[in-house]
């Protein structure tokens, strides 16, 4: 068995068996497979597809190409994955709330991608927090706090890490089979027993089309369940930012307001919905009682306490929850964007808002770019709001007046105020699994 033989099978439209996919994943990890052969493999899958069984086999093969964690803890091992959107900081609320309900959440997360923010970048806006932990440190954090949110080490799904980089430069990112295997191989390598997927759809998401979002959600659910991990998905609306803030420290601030009971809204609602699915799925809550348990873990302050414990264990301030405003960095320039006319906020181009934050320095154009955690947007008006001329649509946090002026022009172009009252879609569009 070799790469040429496997790529030839793909070229001729012949099915690949688990043994072919396992060999290729191992070859990606140990460099037996060349970049050219990996590119041909990805292109072949884009053209031919793997089917449901092949998709599961590739996921397991890439999971097993590196270290797979196992746990000996007193509760179920759970996790959540989002396909990405603007103002989506659910993980920072959901994970500690699940821990407060008796679960353990070893969450392997990523950094910002394109116009969307990354959970690791948000955590690192908190002074001292380190997200690149050794396995022993990761186990200690999860064991003590019930939750740990870290980056993937080099030995977690190394086949995916290599194939992902090759897909990025060979125009083979857009493949249902490869997307599914990439997402799930890393999640399953964390040794989880239950998973909930948040598949975003709308102007602020990578997937704008509802049918495509549903297709991805179904493929992820089917594949994860076939791989032995009980999984469900919610297809959720991203027609506007989930939180009224974009930017790393600003999104952490919104999470702290939710965790300490100062605010609610869609960010709290979706965190509770996703957590309820997991609690009922794993038996920590009876059917219909998951949302009650999730809400109680937040209103009691137990979720905030778990979050604070995790931050302290990962090098952050020991009293972050009690005094978070003092620790989060703030921008040099803060100014409002007044509406130029009265009317309704009819449409929000979420992706454009995300790019505005990236250009402020809140994200990366290149992997080597350094992020300014203090910049971004806050106090973003909700879709459908009736605004008066001169009323603020959003507040800019920038490093300079020049950067703020550029951002203001982009934000104005992305937020449309008209006389038309928009239809507001439900936060959860569909449940799968």
């Amino acid at each position: 068995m070799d790469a040429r033989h496997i790529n030839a099978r793909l070229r001729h439209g012949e099915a690949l068996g688990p043994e072919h996919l396992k060999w290729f994943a191992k070859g990606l990890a140990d460099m037996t497979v060349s970049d050219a052969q990996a590119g041909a493999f990805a292109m072949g899958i884009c053209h031919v597809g793997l089917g449901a069984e092949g998709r599961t086999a590739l996921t397991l093969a890439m999971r097993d190409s590196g270290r797979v964690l196992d746990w000996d803890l007193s509760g179920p091992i759970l996790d959540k994955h989002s396909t990405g959107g603007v103002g989506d900081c659910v993980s920072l609320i959901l994970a500690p709330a699940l821990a407060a309900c008796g679960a353990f959440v070893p969450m392997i997360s990523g950094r910002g991608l394109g116009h969307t923010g990354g959970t690791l970048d948000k955590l690192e806006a908190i002074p001292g927090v380190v997200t690149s932990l050794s396995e022993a440190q990761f186990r200690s954090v999860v064991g003590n706090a019930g939750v740990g949110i870290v980056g993937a080490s080099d030995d977690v799904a190394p086949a995916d890490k290599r194939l992902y980089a090759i897909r990025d430069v060979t125009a083979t990112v857009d493949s249902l089979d490869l997307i599914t295997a990439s997402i799930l191989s890393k999640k399953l390598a964390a040794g989880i027993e239950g998973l909930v997927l948040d598949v975003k759809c709308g102007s602020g998401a990578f997937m704008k089309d509802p049918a495509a979002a549903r297709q991805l959600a179904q493929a992820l659910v089917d594949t994860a369940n076939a791989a032995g991990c009980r999984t469900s998905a919610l297809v959720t609306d991203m027609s506007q930012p989930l939180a009224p803030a974009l930017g790393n420290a600003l999104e952490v601030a919104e999470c702290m307001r939710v965790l300490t009971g100062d605010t609610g809204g869609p960010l709290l609602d979706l965190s509770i919905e996703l957590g309820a699915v997991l609690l009922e799925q794993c038996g920590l809550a009876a059917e219909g009682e998951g949302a009650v348990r999730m809400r109680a873990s937040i209103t009691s302050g137990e979720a905030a306490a778990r979050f604070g414990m995790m931050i302290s264990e990962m090098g952050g301030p020991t009293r972050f929850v009690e005094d978070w405003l003092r620790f989060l960095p703030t921008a040099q320039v803060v100014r409002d964007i007044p509406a130029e006319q009265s009317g309704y906020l009819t449409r929000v181009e979420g992706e454009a808002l995300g790019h505005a934050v990236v250009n402020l320095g809140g994200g990366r154009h290149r992997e080597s770019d350094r992020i300014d955690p203090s910049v971004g947007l806050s106090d973003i008006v909700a879709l459908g709001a009736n605004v008066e001329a001169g009323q603020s649509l959003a507040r800019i946090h920038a490093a300079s007046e020049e950067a703020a002026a550029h951002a203001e022009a982009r934000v104005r172009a992305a937020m449309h105020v008209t006389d038309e009252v928009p239809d507001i879609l439900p936060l959860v569009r569909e449940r799968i699994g």
Side-chain angles (χ1 to χ4, degrees), residues 172-231:
T172 54
V173 171
D174 191 16
S175 159
L176 188 67
D177 294 326
L178 295 176
I179 292 170
T180 300
S182 178
I183 289 171
L184 292 179
S185 60
K186 295 188 288 288
K187 285 294 178 184
L188 298 179
I192 59 175
E193 300 164 343
L195 176 66
V196 66
L197 298 153
D198 180 7
V199 180
K200 302 290 189 186
C201 179
S203 68
F206 285 108
M207 308 198 87
K208 309 293 191 287
D209 177 52
R214 188 189 191 286
Q215 185 182 25
L216 175 59
Q218 192 69 63
L220 287 165
V221 167
D222 291 346
T223 303
N225 279 294
C229 179
R230 187 174 293 180
T231 302

Coordinates of all heavy atoms in Angstrom, one line a residue, residues 172-231:
T172 N -8.8 23.2 -1.5 CA -9.6 22.0 -1.2 C -10.1 22.1 0.2 O -10.4 21.1 0.9 CB -8.7 20.7 -1.3 OG1 -7.5 20.9 -0.5 CG2 -8.3 20.5 -2.7
V173 N -10.3 23.3 0.7 CA -10.9 23.5 2.0 C -12.4 23.1 2.0 O -12.9 22.5 2.9 CB -10.8 25.0 2.5 CG1 -11.6 25.2 3.8 CG2 -9.3 25.3 2.8
D174 N -13.1 23.5 0.9 CA -14.5 23.3 0.8 C -15.0 21.9 0.5 O -15.4 21.6 -0.7 CB -15.1 24.3 -0.2 CG -16.6 24.4 -0.1 OD1 -17.2 23.9 0.9 OD2 -17.2 24.9 -1.1
S175 N -14.8 21.0 1.4 CA -15.2 19.6 1.2 C -15.9 19.1 2.4 O -15.3 19.2 3.5 CB -14.0 18.7 0.9 OG -14.2 17.3 1.2
L176 N -17.1 18.6 2.3 CA -17.9 18.2 3.5 C -17.1 17.1 4.2 O -17.0 17.1 5.5 CB -19.2 17.7 3.0 CG -20.2 17.3 4.2 CD1 -20.6 18.6 4.9 CD2 -21.5 16.7 3.6
D177 N -16.5 16.1 3.5 CA -15.8 15.0 4.1 C -14.6 15.5 4.9 O -14.3 15.1 6.0 CB -15.3 14.0 3.0 CG -16.5 13.3 2.3 OD1 -17.5 13.1 3.0 OD2 -16.4 13.1 1.1
L178 N -13.8 16.4 4.3 CA -12.6 16.9 4.9 C -12.9 17.9 6.1 O -12.2 17.8 7.1 CB -11.7 17.6 3.9 CG -11.2 16.7 2.7 CD1 -10.4 17.5 1.7 CD2 -10.3 15.6 3.3
I179 N -13.9 18.7 5.9 CA -14.3 19.6 7.0 C -14.7 18.7 8.2 O -14.3 19.0 9.4 CB -15.4 20.5 6.6 CG1 -14.9 21.5 5.6 CG2 -16.0 21.2 7.8 CD1 -16.0 22.3 4.9
T180 N -15.5 17.7 8.0 CA -16.1 16.9 9.1 C -14.9 16.1 9.8 O -14.8 16.2 11.0 CB -17.1 15.9 8.5 OG1 -18.2 16.6 7.9 CG2 -17.6 14.9 9.6
A181 N -14.1 15.5 9.0 CA -12.9 14.8 9.6 C -12.0 15.7 10.4 O -11.5 15.3 11.4 CB -12.2 14.0 8.5
S182 N -11.8 16.9 9.8 CA -10.9 17.9 10.5 C -11.4 18.3 11.9 O -10.7 18.3 12.9 CB -10.7 19.1 9.6 OG -9.8 20.0 10.2
I183 N -12.7 18.7 11.9 CA -13.3 19.1 13.1 C -13.3 18.0 14.2 O -12.9 18.2 15.3 CB -14.7 19.6 12.9 CG1 -14.7 21.0 12.1 CG2 -15.5 19.8 14.2 CD1 -16.1 21.4 11.6
L184 N -13.8 16.8 13.8 CA -14.1 15.8 14.7 C -12.8 15.0 15.2 O -12.7 14.6 16.3 CB -15.1 14.8 14.2 CG -16.5 15.3 14.0 CD1 -17.4 14.3 13.4 CD2 -17.1 15.8 15.3
S185 N -11.8 14.9 14.3 CA -10.6 14.2 14.7 C -9.9 14.9 15.9 O -9.5 14.2 16.8 CB -9.6 14.1 13.5 OG -9.2 15.4 13.1
K186 N -9.9 16.2 15.9 CA -9.3 16.9 17.1 C -10.2 16.8 18.3 O -9.7 16.6 19.4 CB -9.1 18.4 16.7 CG -8.1 18.6 15.6 CD -7.7 20.1 15.4 CE -8.9 20.9 14.8 NZ -9.0 20.6 13.4
K187 N -11.5 16.9 18.1 CA -12.4 16.8 19.3 C -12.4 15.4 19.9 O -12.3 15.3 21.1 CB -13.8 17.2 18.9 CG -14.1 18.7 18.6 CD -13.9 19.4 20.0 CE -14.1 20.9 19.8 NZ -13.9 21.7 21.1
L188 N -12.4 14.4 19.1 CA -12.4 13.0 19.6 C -11.1 12.7 20.2 O -11.1 11.8 21.1 CB -12.8 12.1 18.5 CG -14.2 12.3 17.8 CD1 -14.4 11.2 16.7 CD2 -15.3 12.2 18.9
A189 N -10.0 13.3 19.8 CA -8.7 13.0 20.4 C -8.6 13.4 21.8 O -7.8 13.0 22.6 CB -7.6 13.7 19.6
A190 N -9.6 14.3 22.3 CA -9.6 14.7 23.7 C -10.2 13.7 24.6 O -10.3 13.9 25.8 CB -10.3 16.1 23.8
G191 N -10.7 12.6 24.0 CA -11.3 11.5 24.8 C -12.6 11.8 25.4 O -13.0 11.3 26.4
I192 N -13.4 12.6 24.6 CA -14.8 13.0 25.1 C -15.8 11.9 24.9 O -15.6 11.0 24.0 CB -15.2 14.3 24.4 CG1 -15.3 14.1 22.9 CG2 -14.3 15.5 24.8 CD1 -15.9 15.3 22.2
E193 N -16.9 12.0 25.7 CA -17.9 11.0 25.6 C -19.2 11.6 25.1 O -20.1 10.9 24.7 CB -18.2 10.5 27.0 CG -17.1 9.8 27.7 CD -17.2 9.6 29.2 OE1 -18.1 10.2 29.8 OE2 -16.5 8.8 29.7
G194 N -19.3 12.9 25.1 CA -20.5 13.6 24.5 C -20.1 14.9 23.9 O -19.2 15.6 24.4
L195 N -20.8 15.3 22.8 CA -20.5 16.5 22.1 C -21.8 17.2 21.6 O -22.7 16.5 21.2 CB -19.6 16.1 20.9 CG -19.2 17.2 19.9 CD1 -18.3 18.3 20.6 CD2 -18.5 16.6 18.7
V196 N -21.8 18.5 21.7 CA -22.8 19.3 21.0 C -22.2 20.2 20.0 O -21.1 20.8 20.3 CB -23.7 20.0 22.0 CG1 -22.9 21.1 22.8 CG2 -25.0 20.6 21.4
L197 N -22.8 20.3 18.9 CA -22.2 21.1 17.8 C -23.1 22.3 17.6 O -24.4 22.2 17.5 CB -22.1 20.3 16.5 CG -21.2 19.1 16.6 CD1 -21.6 18.0 15.6 CD2 -19.8 19.5 16.3
D198 N -22.5 23.5 17.4 CA -23.3 24.7 17.1 C -22.9 25.1 15.7 O -21.8 25.7 15.5 CB -22.9 25.8 18.2 CG -23.6 27.1 17.9 OD1 -24.5 27.2 17.1 OD2 -23.2 28.1 18.6
V199 N -23.7 24.8 14.8 CA -23.5 25.1 13.4 C -24.1 26.4 13.0 O -25.4 26.5 13.0 CB -24.0 24.0 12.5 CG1 -23.7 24.3 11.0 CG2 -23.3 22.7 12.9
K200 N -23.3 27.5 12.8 CA -23.8 28.8 12.5 C -24.3 29.0 11.1 O -23.7 28.4 10.2 CB -22.7 29.8 12.8 CG -22.2 29.8 14.3 CD -23.2 30.2 15.3 CE -22.5 30.4 16.6 NZ -23.5 30.7 17.7
C201 N -25.3 29.9 10.9 CA -25.8 30.1 9.6 C -26.2 31.6 9.5 O -27.0 32.0 10.4 CB -27.0 29.2 9.3 SG -27.7 29.5 7.6
G202 N -25.7 32.4 8.6 CA -26.1 33.7 8.4 C -25.0 34.6 8.1 O -23.9 34.2 7.8
S203 N -25.2 36.0 8.1 CA -24.3 36.9 7.6 C -22.9 36.9 8.3 O -21.9 37.3 7.7 CB -24.9 38.3 7.6 OG -25.0 38.8 8.9
G204 N -22.9 36.6 9.6 CA -21.7 36.6 10.4 C -21.0 35.2 10.4 O -20.0 35.1 11.1
A205 N -21.6 34.2 9.8 CA -21.0 32.9 9.8 C -20.2 32.6 8.6 O -20.3 33.3 7.5 CB -22.1 31.9 10.0
F206 N -19.4 31.5 8.6 CA -18.8 31.0 7.4 C -19.8 30.5 6.4 O -19.6 30.6 5.2 CB -17.7 30.0 7.7 CG -16.5 30.5 8.3 CD1 -16.2 30.3 9.7 CD2 -15.6 31.2 7.6 CE1 -15.0 30.8 10.2 CE2 -14.4 31.8 8.1 CZ -14.1 31.5 9.5
M207 N -20.8 29.8 6.9 CA -21.9 29.3 6.1 C -23.1 30.2 6.1 O -23.7 30.4 7.1 CB -22.3 27.9 6.6 CG -21.1 27.0 6.8 SD -21.5 25.2 6.9 CE -21.5 24.8 5.2
K208 N -23.3 30.7 4.9 CA -24.4 31.7 4.8 C -25.7 31.0 4.4 O -26.8 31.5 4.7 CB -24.1 32.7 3.7 CG -22.8 33.4 3.8 CD -22.7 34.3 5.1 CE -21.5 35.2 5.1 NZ -20.2 34.5 5.4
D209 N -25.6 29.8 3.8 CA -26.8 29.1 3.2 C -27.4 28.1 4.2 O -26.6 27.2 4.7 CB -26.4 28.4 1.9 CG -27.5 27.6 1.3 OD1 -28.6 28.1 1.1 OD2 -27.3 26.4 1.1
P210 N -28.7 28.2 4.6 CA -29.2 27.3 5.5 C -29.1 25.8 5.1 O -28.9 24.9 6.0 CB -30.7 27.7 5.6 CG -30.7 29.1 5.2 CD -29.6 29.2 4.2
A211 N -29.3 25.5 3.9 CA -29.2 24.1 3.4 C -27.8 23.6 3.6 O -27.6 22.4 4.0 CB -29.6 24.0 2.0
A212 N -26.8 24.4 3.3 CA -25.4 23.9 3.5 C -25.1 23.7 5.0 O -24.4 22.8 5.4 CB -24.5 24.9 2.9
A213 N -25.6 24.6 5.8 CA -25.4 24.5 7.3 C -26.0 23.2 7.8 O -25.4 22.5 8.6 CB -25.9 25.7 8.0
R214 N -27.2 22.9 7.3 CA -27.9 21.7 7.8 C -27.2 20.5 7.3 O -27.0 19.5 8.1 CB -29.4 21.7 7.3 CG -30.1 20.5 7.9 CD -31.5 20.3 7.3 NE -32.2 19.4 8.1 CZ -32.0 18.1 8.2 NH1 -31.0 17.5 7.5 NH2 -32.7 17.3 9.0
Q215 N -26.7 20.5 6.1 CA -25.9 19.3 5.5 C -24.7 19.1 6.4 O -24.4 17.9 6.7 CB -25.6 19.6 4.1 CG -24.9 18.4 3.4 CD -24.5 18.7 2.0 OE1 -24.3 19.9 1.6 NE2 -24.4 17.7 1.2
L216 N -24.0 20.2 6.7 CA -22.8 20.0 7.6 C -23.1 19.5 8.9 O -22.5 18.6 9.5 CB -22.0 21.3 7.7 CG -20.8 21.3 8.6 CD1 -19.8 20.3 8.2 CD2 -20.2 22.7 8.7
A217 N -24.2 20.0 9.5 CA -24.6 19.6 10.9 C -24.9 18.1 10.9 O -24.5 17.3 11.8 CB -25.8 20.4 11.3
Q218 N -25.7 17.7 9.8 CA -26.0 16.3 9.8 C -24.8 15.4 9.6 O -24.7 14.3 10.2 CB -27.0 16.0 8.6 CG -27.7 14.7 8.6 CD -28.7 14.5 9.8 OE1 -29.7 15.2 9.8 NE2 -28.4 13.6 10.7
A219 N -23.9 15.8 8.7 CA -22.7 15.0 8.5 C -21.9 14.9 9.8 O -21.3 13.8 10.1 CB -21.8 15.6 7.4
L220 N -21.7 16.0 10.5 CA -21.0 15.9 11.8 C -21.6 15.0 12.8 O -21.0 14.2 13.5 CB -20.9 17.4 12.3 CG -19.9 18.3 11.6 CD1 -20.1 19.8 12.0 CD2 -18.4 17.9 11.9
V221 N -23.0 15.2 12.9 CA -23.7 14.3 13.9 C -23.6 12.9 13.6 O -23.3 12.0 14.4 CB -25.2 14.8 14.0 CG1 -26.0 13.8 14.8 CG2 -25.2 16.2 14.7
D222 N -23.8 12.5 12.3 CA -23.8 11.1 11.9 C -22.4 10.5 12.1 O -22.2 9.4 12.6 CB -24.2 11.0 10.4 CG -25.7 11.3 10.2 OD1 -26.4 11.3 11.2 OD2 -26.1 11.5 9.0
T223 N -21.4 11.3 11.7 CA -20.0 10.8 11.8 C -19.5 10.6 13.2 O -19.0 9.6 13.6 CB -19.0 11.7 11.1 OG1 -19.5 11.9 9.7 CG2 -17.6 11.2 11.1
A224 N -19.8 11.6 14.1 CA -19.4 11.5 15.5 C -20.1 10.4 16.2 O -19.5 9.6 17.0 CB -19.7 12.8 16.2
N225 N -21.4 10.2 15.9 CA -22.1 9.1 16.6 C -21.6 7.7 16.1 O -21.4 6.8 16.8 CB -23.6 9.2 16.3 CG -24.3 10.2 17.2 OD1 -24.4 9.9 18.4 ND2 -24.8 11.3 16.7
A226 N -21.3 7.7 14.7 CA -20.7 6.4 14.2 C -19.3 6.1 14.8 O -18.9 5.0 14.9 CB -20.6 6.5 12.7
A227 N -18.6 7.2 15.2 CA -17.3 7.0 15.8 C -17.4 6.7 17.3 O -16.3 6.6 18.0 CB -16.5 8.3 15.6
G228 N -18.6 6.7 17.9 CA -18.8 6.3 19.2 C -18.9 7.4 20.2 O -18.9 7.2 21.4
C229 N -19.1 8.6 19.7 CA -19.3 9.8 20.6 C -20.7 10.3 20.5 O -21.1 10.7 19.4 CB -18.3 10.9 20.3 SG -18.5 12.3 21.4
R230 N -21.5 10.2 21.5 CA -22.9 10.7 21.5 C -23.0 12.2 21.1 O -22.4 13.0 21.9 CB -23.7 10.4 22.8 CG -25.2 10.6 22.7 CD -25.8 10.2 23.9 NE -25.8 8.8 24.1 CZ -26.4 8.1 25.1 NH1 -26.9 8.7 26.1 NH2 -26.3 6.8 25.1
T231 N -23.6 12.5 20.0 CA -23.5 13.9 19.5 C -24.8 14.4 19.0 O -25.6 13.6 18.4 CB -22.5 13.9 18.4 OG1 -21.2 13.5 18.9 CG2 -22.3 15.4 17.8

